[in-house]
Amino acid sequence: MSPSLVVTRFAPSPSGELHLGNARTALFSALYAHRGSGGRFLLRIEDTDAERSREEFVTALLADLHWLGLAWDAVPLRQSQRRGIYAAQLAHLEAGGHAYACFCSSAQLEASRRAQQAAGKPPRYAGTCRRLTPAERAARLAAGEAATLRFAVPEQGEVVFNDLVHGPRHFACRDLGDFILRRADGSPAFFFSNALDDAESEVTHVLRGEDHLTNTPRQLLILQALGLQAPQYGHLSLLTGEDGTPLSKRHGATSVRELRDRGFLPEAVLNHLFRLGHSTPVNDLLTLAQMAAAFELPHLQRSPAHFDTAQLLHWQRVTAHALSAEAAQAWLALQLPPDLPPGQREAFVRAVLPNVVLPADADEWVAVAFGPPPEPQEDAREALGRCAPGLMTAAAQAARDHGNDFKAIADAAKAASGAKGAALFKPLRAALTGRLHGPELGLLLQAFAPGAAQQRLERFT
Ligand code: GLU
């Protein structure tokens, strides 16, 4: 593979729903890969933690990514199926003197941690088992003692890397502590399987959450010990709510599924995510291909990004109002009465689309159009009270003759009363919908059941 080709990946742990922060990570990773030609975006399911990983979350993750339109370029790797590969590489590290068996119990580790904290030192593994002789180690293993495998971090020096977002980073080795590569139950630890898989998949750029920044020096040490090429890492700023605290349930929807269930459209979600922690001069609604062309690593911001419902609603409005007639009907399908004839359905959706941002916004107009004749609201009642003499009678007569034809109704009302402009349209709208605002009447009336306009107008003659 040519070294200049970009390979990125998204590596979720299937222990929950696709959080908006992770969706943004997936988006940026997909965009960076698809920015030039030939790049690849991979998906890897990090399901080594059997207790927390659930198959239903894998299914949901795939469905959410699919809904967003983020397509991956190869069969997803499942870490749970790579145990043999991990075991071989761990043995390799151990044989090379880069890893050692640790027999410390959790109680011992906890005691050591407390002692370090009491002495004002940051807690890290004290190195107890690193000092065992090979013979001591072999004897304890032979006796069946449970052991983890720890990485032997070099005692001196530092790990330096150039973060794609944060610039040069330096970590002193003595601050890292010998970390676990394999748990006592035999399962590989995150640091290890994550780094190894990136290298084996020839990932060139890792974009991931800032919470992983301090993991990176450990992962670079592992890859160096294995003689494998490390990717470049970029750590994306935290996603917060509008108040600056980490995005959580308090802020409303935090997962892709919740937004989807509320009727948000994928393009709207993507357009908001695209601008979270990534500055762009482009203010138009963008397709994924356009976002890929406009995505720039130097435009990734270090400061936390605020998820902003008002911004999301802005993109939702723009997206919804640009839907094709067919897509709009599908989007609002659950809101509509089930047996609505196709002509009325089409007219209704065309009429109300400019008035809705989320499907639930259509409920009011469904009630107005298909429910019983609506009682006029206060301002509508006033408009009806000021209605020119003869207007309503002529309007009702026209509806009797021409059905739900608003032009015929308005023309007749105007000719009979001489009213025009607001004096003509307000009372008509008030009688027909009970409101003084709302969708274009000509279209809305086409959605009404036969005879509905006449029935509503006659109430005020
Ligand atoms: N499974 C890790 C997570 O979901 C992956 C982190 C990474 O992208 O390297 O946080």
Side-chain angles (χ1 to χ4, degrees):
M1 189 190 300
S2 151
S4 61
L5 286 186
V6 169
V7 181
T8 65
R9 52 50 164 194
F10 177 52
S13 308
S15 55
E17 294 193 324
L18 182 59
H19 187 268
L20 292 168
N22 280 340
R24 179 185 60 152
T25 302
L27 171 66
F28 288 1
S29 302
L31 294 181
Y32 192 58
H34 295 148
R35 198 167 158 268
S37 54
R40 295 196 311 142
F41 168 60
L42 309 177
L43 178 63
R44 181 172 73 234
I45 305 296
E46 302 215 315
D47 55 354
T48 51
D49 185 339
E51 254 169 49
R52 298 182 58 220
S53 300
R54 297 230 303 264
E55 205 50 38
E56 71 214 59
F57 290 133
V58 177
T59 310
L61 276 167
L62 300 187
D64 284 343
L65 291 173
H66 184 73
W67 179 78
L68 286 168
L70 299 178
W72 47 96
D73 296 315
V75 177
L77 277 194
R78 299 280 302 242
Q79 287 193 323
S80 56
Q81 292 166 1
R82 294 171 53 77
R83 290 283 176 109
I85 294 163
Y86 302 141
Q89 293 289 7
L90 287 170
H92 188 57
L93 282 175
E94 206 174 352
H98 294 292
Y100 61 88
C102 169
F103 304 95
C104 295
S105 66
S106 13
Q108 283 168 313
L109 293 172
E110 184 52 34
S112 154
R113 226 187 326 264
R114 280 221 207 92
Q116 286 173 338
Q117 268 164 344
K121 292 188 193 152
R124 66 180 62 94
Y125 182 59
T128 320
C129 291
R130 184 167 175 160
R131 292 185 283 273
L132 296 176
T133 64
E136 284 169 324
R137 229 169 255 150
R140 291 176 73 167
L141 285 173
E145 248 189 84
T148 60
L149 189 71
R150 282 188 190 270
F151 188 82
V153 174
E155 277 158 36
Q156 283 162 16
E158 54 174 19
V159 183
V160 180
F161 66 95
N162 197 19
D163 189 273
L164 295 167
V165 181
H166 296 268
R169 297 277 109 178
H170 298 250
F171 291 85
C173 285
R174 64 170 184 281
D175 290 337
L176 296 178
D178 291 353
F179 52 90
I180 290 181
L181 295 169
R182 185 181 63 214
R183 302 187 194 92
D185 66 5
S187 61
F190 164 78
F191 296 118
F192 170 73
S193 46
N194 177 276
L196 179 69
D197 286 345
D198 282 338
E200 288 209 340
S201 301
E202 300 185 35
V203 170
T204 57
H205 296 77
V206 167
L207 295 177
R208 59 181 179 182
E210 207 171 73
D211 46 329
H212 288 290
L213 183 60
T214 54
N215 295 334
T216 300
R218 296 176 175 88
Q219 299 195 288
L220 289 170
L221 287 173
I222 294 171
L223 293 177
Q224 193 183 29
L226 288 169
L228 295 173
Q229 173 78 38
Q232 282 184 269
Y233 291 91
H235 293 89
L236 303 172
S237 63
L238 196 70
L239 196 58
T240 72
E242 280 141 73
D243 58 0
T245 62
L247 195 64
S248 72
K249 287 281 162 232
R250 274 186 313 112
H251 299 104
T254 55
S255 72
V256 170
R257 188 198 48 82
E258 285 168 284
L259 293 182
R260 185 175 57 181
D261 287 353
R262 287 176 55 195
F264 279 94
L265 293 156
E267 295 80 359
V269 177
L270 291 170
N271 270 272
H272 186 37
L273 293 178
F274 179 63
R275 292 161 173 96
L276 284 177
H278 175 255
S279 60
T280 176
V282 199
N283 291 322
D284 305 326
L285 184 76
L286 299 176
T287 62
L288 271 172
Q290 291 167 328
M291 283 184 219
F295 183 75
E296 299 286 350
L297 284 183
H299 290 182
L300 290 173
Q301 295 161 349
R302 294 177 200 184
S303 50
H306 299 269
F307 188 85
D308 181 346
T309 309
Q311 281 297 315
L312 176 63
L313 286 169
H314 160 75
W315 293 115
Q316 170 74 4
R317 184 176 299 110
V318 176
T319 310
H321 294 180
L323 287 176
S324 70
E326 216 181 19
Q329 284 184 50
W331 179 56
L332 294 176
L334 289 179
Q335 258 44 51
L336 302 178
D339 303 322
L340 202 57
Q344 281 175 255
R345 165 184 300 258
E346 201 232 344
F348 177 80
V349 170
R350 221 151 43 97
V352 304
L353 192 61
N355 294 67
V356 300
V357 175
L358 289 169
D361 301 337
D363 292 347
E364 176 184 5
W365 304 112
V366 167
V368 165
F370 309 117
E375 283 313 313
Q377 295 176 340
E378 170 110 27
D379 53 356
R381 222 178 6 249
E382 280 166 24
L384 284 163
R386 289 194 302 272
C387 181
L391 187 155
M392 211 50 84
T393 310
Q397 180 61 49
R400 199 172 309 131
D401 296 342
H402 302 283
N404 299 334
D405 178 342
F406 184 68
K407 183 159 179 337
I409 294 168
D411 285 351
K414 183 177 179 181
S417 68
K420 51 187 183 195
L424 173 65
F425 290 107
K426 277 188 176 180
L428 289 178
R429 185 180 279 281
L432 290 163
T433 68
R435 286 146 181 72
L436 289 187
H437 68 278
E440 194 189 312
L441 274 179
L443 271 178
L444 191 65
L445 257 61
Q446 289 174 33
F448 279 16
Q454 179 195 342
Q455 185 197 11
R456 291 174 183 207
L457 292 165
E458 276 175 352
R459 295 183 296 166
F460 303 101
T461 53

